[in-house]
Amino acid sequence: MIQLAKELGLSVSTVSKALGDSHEISASTKKRVLELAKKYKYKPNPFASNLRKKKGKQIAVIIPDIVNNFFALAVDGIESVTMSKHYDTFIYLTHENLEREKAVLEHLENGLISGLIISVSTGREGYSHFQDFYETTKLPLVFFDRVPDLLQFPKVITNNYESSYEATARLIKAGSKRPVLVTTTEPMYTSVERRRGFQDALEKNGIGFSDEMIIHCTDDMDLNYSIMRKIFSQKKRPDGIFASIEKYAITSYQVCKDLKLVIPKDVRVIGMTNLRTAALLNPSLSTLAQPAFDMGKEAAGLLIKMIEKKSYAAANEIIVLPNELTIRDSI
Amino acid sequence: MIQLAKELGLSVSTVSKALGDSHEISASTKKRVLELAKKYKYKPNPFASNLRKKKGKQIAVIIPDIVNNFFALAVDGIESVTMSKHYDTFIYLTHENLEREKAVLEHLENGLISGLIISVSTGREGYSHFQDFYETTKLPLVFFDRVPDLLQFPKVITNNYESSYEATARLIKAGSKRPVLVTTTEPMYTSVERRRGFQDALEKNGIGFSDEMIIHCTDDMDLNYSIMRKIFSQKKRPDGIFASIEKYAITSYQVCKDLKLVIPKDVRVIGMTNLRTAALLNPSLSTLAQPAFDMGKEAAGLLIKMIEKKSYAAANEIIVLPNELTIRDSI
DNA sequence: TGCTTTTACGAAAACGTTATAGCAGCAATT
DNA sequence: AATTGCTGCTATAACGTTTTCGTAAAAGCA
């Protein structure tokens, strides 16, 4: 910038203001400055700028996992808006590890970013680290999908209750007398809602709910397999599965295949998943897909609005997007 | 830091050096400083630090796509090492768009990062933007998987030639007389190598190669479908597929399903993919999987070495990892 | 005309670090 | 006893911006 100023016979401040399109600078000088800047491919140093302005155009995304179509799509959605708004996007993966999540959050208290998008890792032991982060940094944060229900922050979620209700009703309509919900052991906001939908659908359709209709799976795929295999080996085995998580749908298929249970004759399956191969499974899997890309887009849009307009800071807006049910041959 | 210095009766420089674990500072003062810093949860401002040091602990990853198991796994691998080395990772998606790739690269000339990991978007029109980026920034960059073969940069790749050769040989051994390679229209280094392996395997096994044994697919899934459907509707249709890209394997299955061609009786299929659902497809898909996670790890490890040790700067190291062939029912 | 206001710019002080150079005080060497 | 060399610390000048304040000149107004 000093170089530019010298060459133009201007002061550094004038050049800075011209580049910042300040009203204090005449149109003609602005033009001169812009042109020379372009000629020299001058790019303002973001560190100096951020240091002085005490904020920058960098945000962070914290998610449990990226090797998962849902989160990959969400990141895609987020990136599409940060890219267009000229923001840089950091990515941090927690691998469902609460300690890691806390560590990342604490790290980000150094002021590296101007905003944060999060989908929390499983476990509900405490959300205080989010609150702490907010207290100390006062930075805008937006949660999506896996949100901490107890905290007052802006969120982007789906109609988990309604769509679970609908999916369960479809299972029943397809002939299932003993449907089960396959869900996590760790209670999360999303799974609680999905369970509510499942349970209400049973009761509205005259099927009494009992606790063994919930199968709790873990993060350990092998363990999940044996849990489910055991349940489906019983005489009075379930005849319908609502797999509320992508990978549990896959396990369901494996178990049925190995136990020679025919889908959908013996067992009807709906999976909550964004798998692109759903239609190619044997038989093709009926899915309740989340609008992952759009959720990412909405979350990023909201965050940037909050960063740029102070007025938005207080927003504890909640955006609800609909899941999409696609019925295929597994039901 | 000023606050800390005051409270400890030290100068700011001493505090800074103590936090930086400088040898100039006695063990006892270091301890005092560290303790108070911890007590106040003091975190050095990265902008100030980066500005002064003229470099930081931020790197960028530029990839064509994230909604793809291969790249998602690679990012996972990258993040695992950047996380452990306390680096922050930016992510940029090009969506196979060369202009976007160039734009990102130009943007990053502002000095935001200290290193760069790239897998290039399709198209070979020119790699000069990478060279330009390097010339102006002198930053270390590491390419992985889709590498610009003509440029002298460190790279992490797989044994594309050998494993393609092997996969093709297996197709032939399984009875395929007329195998085809499904690949991109855009020539990339990886696809060229895969094609060489394919072609050599044919010739070594007494099957003459001809141009129609290469099916060129695009980024448009619908178009790909019609291209392949047309080819497989012919009388003298192929009886083996080596799908060199994840999504083309899926299209292959769709086409076979719709044309009532039985896999593996009528058509044998091997897909180059990291799909987790490969084993659950109908029939289970034989795959040539890339060590995506490890490639990411290696790339990030190499990059950080280059960033931290000046001596490494000249490295145009090439790391080759083996692909893994898993034979399932599709062959 | 004399006055105030506006316009277009410049000087200089931040922003929060780190690196360089310098300087006591003390020990070791000659 | 004089020189040299450590050790542990401080003062200060960067790093490259932005912003606040000040001020000439031009413009507006009575």
Side-chain angles (χ1 to χ4, degrees), chain A residues 184-215:
Chain A
T184 57
T185 40
E186 303 279 3
M188 289 184 291
Y189 170 73
T190 46
S191 39
V192 169
E193 289 292 291
R194 288 170 198 174
R195 178 181 166 149
R196 272 210 311 126
F198 175 76
Q199 206 162 330
D200 283 6
L202 292 190
E203 284 166 8
K204 286 273 177 179
N205 284 278
I207 301 187
F209 171 79
S210 65
D211 278 341
E212 74 257 17
M213 284 175 151
I214 306 282
I215 301 181

Side-chain angles (χ1 to χ4, degrees), chain A residues 41-313:
Chain A
K41 292 190 179 186
Y42 164 80
K43 311 243 164 32
N45 179 315
F47 300 132
S49 168
N50 290 352
L51 174 59
R52 180 60 231 240
K53 294 200 295 190
K54 286 178 170 261
K55 70 167 175 170
K57 285 200 149 203
Q58 288 78 37
I59 67 155
V61 177
I62 305 180
I63 51 176
D65 191 10
I66 186 73
V67 188
N68 171 312
N69 255 277
F70 172 72
F71 288 118
L73 281 163
V75 168
D76 202 1
I78 290 168
E79 206 268 352
S80 74
V81 353
T82 55
M83 171 75 90
S84 76
K85 299 269 188 180
H86 304 290
Y87 275 69
D88 303 293
T89 314
F90 284 113
I91 191 164
Y92 301 91
L93 308 177
T94 63
H95 295 283
E96 307 288 9
N97 182 334
L98 185 65
E99 290 315 311
R100 212 152 160 174
E101 189 173 274
K102 284 183 184 169
V104 172
L105 238 57
E106 198 183 320
H107 167 65
L108 291 177
E109 285 181 359
N110 65 6
L112 188 60
I113 53 161
S114 299
L116 190 48
I117 296 176
I118 315 180
S119 200
V120 311
S121 75
T122 50
R124 247 192 172 184
E125 302 95 87
Y127 290 145
S128 57
H129 48 304
F130 299 121
Q131 196 68 50
D132 292 349
F133 178 83
Y134 178 70
E135 299 297 346
T136 66
T137 65
K138 294 289 175 195
L139 288 177
L141 42 172
V142 173
F143 290 86
F144 76 97
D145 191 49
R146 300 214 208 145
V147 303
D149 45 339
L150 306 169
L151 301 185
Q152 291 270 319
F153 285 113
K155 296 161 190 164
V156 178
I157 55 179
T158 59
N159 58 345
N160 280 293
Y161 172 77
E162 292 80 4
S163 55
S164 287
Y165 184 99
E166 193 190 343
T168 310
R170 290 298 287 260
L171 276 179
I172 296 168
K173 206 169 141 197
S176 178
K177 307 284 181 212
R178 305 169 48 79
V180 289
L181 171 71
V182 187
T183 184
T184 57
T185 40
E186 303 279 3
M188 289 184 291
Y189 170 73
T190 46
S191 39
V192 169
E193 289 292 291
R194 288 170 198 174
R195 178 181 166 149
R196 272 210 311 126
F198 175 76
Q199 206 162 330
D200 283 6
L202 292 190
E203 284 166 8
K204 286 273 177 179
N205 284 278
I207 301 187
F209 171 79
S210 65
D211 278 341
E212 74 257 17
M213 284 175 151
I214 306 282
I215 301 181
H216 290 283
C217 278
T218 66
D219 222 40
D220 177 345
M221 289 295 266
D222 294 335
L223 179 55
N224 296 342
Y225 179 85
S226 56
I227 291 173
M228 288 194 64
R229 182 171 180 133
K230 199 167 163 190
I231 291 170
F232 279 84
S233 302
Q234 299 166 346
K235 247 204 185 105
K236 284 194 68 174
R237 55 158 179 76
D239 60 0
I241 298 176
F242 176 36
S244 74
I245 297 217
E246 181 160 304
K247 52 187 170 190
Y248 300 162
I250 297 175
T251 308
S252 306
Y253 264 54
Q254 279 169 328
V255 169
C256 287
K257 192 178 174 187
D258 295 349
L259 292 178
K260 311 243 183 275
L261 296 172
V262 178
I263 303 173
K265 194 174 68 75
D266 301 329
V267 182
R268 291 129 201 103
V269 183
I270 294 182
M272 187 131 193
T273 158
N274 292 75
L275 279 177
R276 279 176 311 156
T277 47
L280 298 173
L281 296 180
N282 180 28
S284 61
L285 173 64
S286 299
T287 55
L288 188 56
Q290 301 193 88
F293 186 88
D294 288 330
M295 290 176 81
K297 261 176 70 171
E298 292 291 339
L302 190 53
L303 183 71
I304 291 181
K305 246 193 238 164
M306 289 169 66
I307 292 173
E308 295 183 351
K309 315 217 188 285
K310 289 249 157 137
S311 63
Y312 239 87

Side-chain angles (χ1 to χ4, degrees), chain B residues 10-11 13-14 17 24 26 29 52 54:
Chain B
L10 292 170
S11 77
S13 14
T14 307
K17 283 176 186 168
E24 290 181 31
S26 74
T29 19
R52 179 60 230 237
K54 287 178 170 258

Side-chain angles (χ1 to χ4, degrees), chain A residues 257 277 280-282, chain B residues 171 240-254 256 263-264 267-289 324-331:
Chain A
K257 192 178 174 187
T277 47
L280 298 173
L281 296 180
N282 180 28
Chain B
L171 276 178
I241 298 175
F242 177 35
S244 74
I245 299 218
E246 182 160 303
K247 51 187 170 191
Y248 299 162
I250 297 174
T251 309
S252 305
Y253 264 54
Q254 280 169 328
C256 288
I263 301 173
V267 182
R268 292 130 200 103
V269 183
I270 294 182
M272 186 128 194
T273 158
N274 292 74
L275 279 177
R276 278 176 310 157
T277 47
L280 298 173
L281 295 181
N282 179 28
S284 62
L285 173 63
S286 299
T287 54
L288 187 56
E324 192 178 338
L325 185 61
T326 305
I327 299 298
R328 296 198 184 84
D329 299 336
S330 66
I331 184 177

Side-chain angles (χ1 to χ4, degrees), chain A residues 11 13-14 17 24 26 29 52 54:
Chain A
S11 77
S13 16
T14 307
K17 284 174 187 168
E24 290 182 30
S26 73
T29 21
R52 180 60 231 240
K54 286 178 170 261

